[in-house]
């Protein structure tokens, strides 16, 4: 075996020498000069014995040995690999050059990973290996760190409790985690390379495309929900976040993160059902209260049939109107989507229409002008306001326009800086001079004063050109019922 190897080496050496002779003369002086000044680590090596023939200053600095020491050493004393692998590398170098990665031991005992580029040359009449050596230890360590980091993030990706999918910018699936494959009921190998649309309902494809295009354009995409039915027929609700992976200000991937909100949706539906049931019940209560008040109103109206005294009839009619004003509020509430607020425009229209009918006043005789902003009030504020309007309009209808006198009633309600301003005025004959506002004794005005205080309002009365009532107030804080 040794004899065959020697014959091969001799034959190879002769071939190489002939090759270099044919290619031209080799100037050893120029080579030596370049060898000395080169900043790369260079060595010359006997390919058959492994003996280091020469090393340049850069090699001396790198290995930490003197040049004399290096030139007395064999490559096996530096190289940490078994001799067989080193020998194979040298034979490859003789055959035409190659590169290998080896661990090299320095004089201080440290191990550095190097990449060796070797090729054969004829130097001073002998075939030798010319080695260019690069220290790649930092690169190897970085690669190890990257691999470790990749393994860590892959573990995090795989074990993420959310449904996580890595997409190409065209929607192709690059990676999915365990939770996702379990949800879909499809093996990972069948998902990789497919488009994400495989688990999208046909009607939602364009919607999803729009979302992905928005991410690619750098727009913020708000989380969105969708219903998903897997291969087993199980229904899930997923909340999806789309996040871009950016490199050099360009989106290169998209991460789809899905959160299972199925239980949340179930609880939400239970709450909605419960609230809907309570809403229906509350509407029914308002409806029954309204009906009961209408019954009371009807009883008061019936009572007037058995009374001859005009004053008593007026008292009963006024009480009937007060009951109706509250009944209208409950009627509006059970018809409204919001069971805590009523639209005051609609309420005032219904209330005034009822009062005109109650006092048998035609609009041709008294013009009604409404200057009311689109305002909603809670029930705490609406009931006293409604009673105030009912009392003041009743007073105008009863006393402001005697003997079928024509006139106008104006109702104004405005809102500015958390304050409401209610104005009710008429151009009738005005209040009698004998009425003392500091000592009000009529039931209607006493009620207005009391109700104004109930809503923490201020009442001002003007007598010029008829009568004007101006009330400023703030909406009362709604008291939650439990």
């Amino acid at each position: 075996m040794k004899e065959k190897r020697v014959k091969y080496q001799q034959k190879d050496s002769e071939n190489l020498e002939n090759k270099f002779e044919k290619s031209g003369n080799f100037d050893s002086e120029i080579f030596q000069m370049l060898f000395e000044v080169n900043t790369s680590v260079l060595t010359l090596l006997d390919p058959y014995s492994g003996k280091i023939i020469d090393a340049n200053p850069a090699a001396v600095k790198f290995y930490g040995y003197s040049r004399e020491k290096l030139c007395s050493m064999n490559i096996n004393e530096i190289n940490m690999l078994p001799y067989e692998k080193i020998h194979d590398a040298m034979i490859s170098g003789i055959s035409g050059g190659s590169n290998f990665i080896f661990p090299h031991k320095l004089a201080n005992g440290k191990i550095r990973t190097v990449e060796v580029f070797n090729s054969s040359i004829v130097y001073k009449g002998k075939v030798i290996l010319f080695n260019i050596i690069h220290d790649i230890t930092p690169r190897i360590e970085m690669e190890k760190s990257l691999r470790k980091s990749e393994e860590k993030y892959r573990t995090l990706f795989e074990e993420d409790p959310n449904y996580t999918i890595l997409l190409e910018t065209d929607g192709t699936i690059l990676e999915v985690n365990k939770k996702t494959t379990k949800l879909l009921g499809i093996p990972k190998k069948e998902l990789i390379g497919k488009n994400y649309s495989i688990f999208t309902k046909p009607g939602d494809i364009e919607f999803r495309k729009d979302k992905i295009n928005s991410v690619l354009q750098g727009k913020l995409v708000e989380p969105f929900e969708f219903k998903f039915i897997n291969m087993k027929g199980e229904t899930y609700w997923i909340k999806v976040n789309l996040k871009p992976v950016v490199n050099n200000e360009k989106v290169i991937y998209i991460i789809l993160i899905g959160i299972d909100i199925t239980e949340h949706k179930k609880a939400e539906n239970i709450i909605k059902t419960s609230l809907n049931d309570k809403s229906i019940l509350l509407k029914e209560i308002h409806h029954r209260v309204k009906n009961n008040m209408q019954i009371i109103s009807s009883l008061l109206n019936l009572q007037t049939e058995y009374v001859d005294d005009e004053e008593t009839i007026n008292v009963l009619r006024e009480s009937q109107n007060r009951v109706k004003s509250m009944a209208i509020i409950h009627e509006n509430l059970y018809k409204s989507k919001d069971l805590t607020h009523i639209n005051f425009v609609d309420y005032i229209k219904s209330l005034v229409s009822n009062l005109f009918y109650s006092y048998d006043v035609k609009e041709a005789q008294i013009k009604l002008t409404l200057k009311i902003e689109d305002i909603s009030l809670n029930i705490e504020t609406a009931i006293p306001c409604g009673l105030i309007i009912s009392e003041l309009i009743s007073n105008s209808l009863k006393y402001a326009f005697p003997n079928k006198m024509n006139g106008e009633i104006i109702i104004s309600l405005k809102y500015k800086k958390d304050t409401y301003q209610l104005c009710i005025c008429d151009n009738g004959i005005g209040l009698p001079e004998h009425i003392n506002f500091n000592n009000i004794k009529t039931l209607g005005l006493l009620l207005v004063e009391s109700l104004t205080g109930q809503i923490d309002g201020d009442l001002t009365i003007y007598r010029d050109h008829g009568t004007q009532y101006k009330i400023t107030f703030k909406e009362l804080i709604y008291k939650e019922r439990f």
Side-chain angles (χ1 to χ4, degrees), residues 34-261:
L34 294 172
F35 183 78
E36 293 293 331
V37 299
N38 203 306
T39 56
S40 296
V41 176
L42 306 177
T43 61
L44 301 178
L45 190 69
D46 185 325
Y48 307 115
S49 66
K51 184 179 183 302
I52 298 172
I53 297 172
D54 202 356
N56 73 342
V60 171
K61 183 178 179 181
F62 174 67
Y63 287 109
Y65 294 106
S66 66
R67 192 165 190 165
E68 290 75 15
K69 177 64 177 174
L70 277 172
C71 291
S72 68
M73 296 175 70
N74 191 287
I75 190 63
N76 297 322
E77 298 177 62
I78 292 174
N79 206 320
M80 303 301 293
L81 288 181
Y83 172 77
E84 289 76 15
K85 291 191 176 182
I86 301 170
H87 181 265
D88 290 343
M90 291 190 292
I91 294 301
S92 297
I94 293 173
S95 301
S98 59
N99 67 294
F100 295 89
I101 294 176
F102 295 125
H104 278 192
K105 186 177 182 180
L106 308 185
N108 59 11
K110 290 183 178 179
I111 307 297
R112 304 294 286 182
T113 302
V114 298
E115 187 170 20
V116 179
F117 298 86
N118 61 14
S119 62
S120 57
I121 63 172
V122 175
Y123 181 65
K124 296 181 180 179
K126 186 177 180 182
V127 176
I128 62 171
L129 285 181
F130 173 54
N131 300 314
I132 303 173
I133 300 165
H134 295 303
D135 183 4
I136 61 169
T137 307
R139 190 188 85 190
I140 296 298
E141 289 177 351
M142 182 177 289
E143 287 174 356
K144 286 180 180 178
S145 177
L146 288 173
R147 279 196 297 272
K148 187 175 180 180
S149 178
E150 183 182 352
E151 288 171 5
K152 179 177 72 174
Y153 285 108
R154 179 169 290 278
T155 301
L156 289 173
F157 182 88
E158 284 292 340
E159 302 303 327
D160 191 341
N162 298 318
Y163 308 114
T164 310
I165 304 173
L166 183 65
L167 300 174
E168 291 268 23
T169 54
D170 63 357
T172 302
I173 299 171
L174 288 175
E175 189 62 84
V176 292
N177 69 343
K178 291 179 183 177
K179 189 77 179 282
T180 305
T181 56
K182 186 176 179 181
L183 168 74
L184 300 176
I186 303 172
K188 180 187 285 192
K189 62 182 180 181
E190 294 182 20
L191 290 170
I192 304 299
K194 301 285 178 53
N195 193 277
Y196 74 100
S197 60
I198 62 170
F199 48 84
T200 301
K201 291 189 295 183
D204 289 341
I205 291 176
E206 289 304 318
F207 171 73
R208 306 284 182 261
K209 282 182 179 178
D210 288 343
K211 295 290 184 184
I212 286 188
N213 288 337
S214 294
V215 174
L216 295 177
Q217 292 166 15
K219 297 177 182 177
L220 177 65
V221 176
E222 295 294 332
F224 57 92
E225 300 174 3
F226 77 97
K227 188 166 119 177
F228 174 75
I229 301 174
N230 68 8
M231 301 290 286
K232 297 178 182 178
E234 299 167 331
T235 300
Y236 292 86
W237 276 96
I238 311 296
K239 188 172 187 177
V240 176
N241 284 275
L242 294 177
K243 300 295 181 184
V245 178
V246 180
N247 185 29
N248 293 328
E249 299 182 356
K250 183 181 178 181
V251 178
I252 56 173
Y253 303 116
I254 297 172
I255 297 179
L256 185 153
I257 303 170
I259 302 171
D260 189 344
I261 58 170

Side-chain angles (χ1 to χ4, degrees), residues 148-394:
K148 187 175 180 180
S149 178
E150 183 182 352
E151 288 171 5
K152 179 177 72 174
Y153 285 108
R154 179 169 290 278
T155 301
L156 289 173
F157 182 88
E158 284 292 340
E159 302 303 327
D160 191 341
N162 298 318
Y163 308 114
T164 310
I165 304 173
L166 183 65
L167 300 174
E168 291 268 23
T169 54
D170 63 357
T172 302
I173 299 171
L174 288 175
E175 189 62 84
V176 292
N177 69 343
K178 291 179 183 177
K179 189 77 179 282
T180 305
T181 56
K182 186 176 179 181
L183 168 74
L184 300 176
I186 303 172
K188 180 187 285 192
K189 62 182 180 181
E190 294 182 20
L191 290 170
I192 304 299
K194 301 285 178 53
N195 193 277
Y196 74 100
S197 60
I198 62 170
F199 48 84
T200 301
K201 291 189 295 183
D204 289 341
I205 291 176
E206 289 304 318
F207 171 73
R208 306 284 182 261
K209 282 182 179 178
D210 288 343
K211 295 290 184 184
I212 286 188
N213 288 337
S214 294
V215 174
L216 295 177
Q217 292 166 15
K219 297 177 182 177
L220 177 65
V221 176
E222 295 294 332
F224 57 92
E225 300 174 3
F226 77 97
K227 188 166 119 177
F228 174 75
I229 301 174
N230 68 8
M231 301 290 286
K232 297 178 182 178
E234 299 167 331
T235 300
Y236 292 86
W237 276 96
I238 311 296
K239 188 172 187 177
V240 176
N241 284 275
L242 294 177
K243 300 295 181 184
V245 178
V246 180
N247 185 29
N248 293 328
E249 299 182 356
K250 183 181 178 181
V251 178
I252 56 173
Y253 303 116
I254 297 172
I255 297 179
L256 185 153
I257 303 170
I259 302 171
D260 189 344
I261 58 170
T262 308
E263 294 304 318
H264 172 78
K265 276 289 183 182
K266 288 178 181 177
E268 188 179 88
N269 288 335
I270 291 171
I271 291 170
K272 282 181 178 179
T273 302
S274 176
L275 287 174
N276 186 53
D277 291 344
K278 289 179 180 178
S279 176
I280 292 171
L281 179 60
L282 195 52
K283 284 177 181 286
E284 180 63 22
I285 290 170
H286 283 302
H287 184 59
R288 292 190 182 189
V289 169
K290 186 266 299 185
N291 286 345
N292 289 338
M293 287 185 170
Q294 283 184 332
I295 290 171
I296 295 170
S297 176
S298 297
L299 289 172
L300 290 170
N301 185 54
L302 185 62
Q303 192 68 41
T304 59
E305 301 293 328
Y306 297 92
V307 178
D308 295 327
D309 182 57
E310 189 66 27
E311 185 176 350
T312 303
I313 291 173
N314 287 335
V315 169
L316 290 172
R317 184 177 289 119
E318 287 171 2
S319 297
Q320 183 184 9
N321 289 335
R322 289 166 190 147
V323 171
K324 280 186 178 180
S325 74
M326 291 186 285
I328 292 170
I329 285 178
H330 288 281
E331 182 179 22
N332 284 359
L333 281 172
Y334 85 75
K335 289 181 179 178
S336 172
K337 292 181 180 179
D338 183 355
L339 295 175
T340 62
H341 288 74
I342 65 167
N343 185 293
F344 223 62
V345 178
D346 296 336
Y347 170 63
I348 290 177
K349 287 178 180 178
S350 298
L351 176 62
V352 174
S353 176
N354 176 72
L355 291 172
F356 270 61
Y357 176 79
S358 176
Y359 290 103
D360 194 25
V361 176
K362 309 298 181 185
E363 289 190 18
Q365 178 195 343
I366 299 176
K367 180 184 176 183
L368 176 66
T369 301
L370 299 178
K371 298 179 180 180
I372 306 168
E373 294 179 358
D374 188 14
I375 290 171
S376 292
L377 292 175
N378 61 35
I379 191 170
E380 253 78 357
T381 312
I383 288 177
C385 272
L387 287 170
I388 288 170
I389 294 168
S390 178
E391 292 300 325
L392 296 178
I393 296 296
S394 294

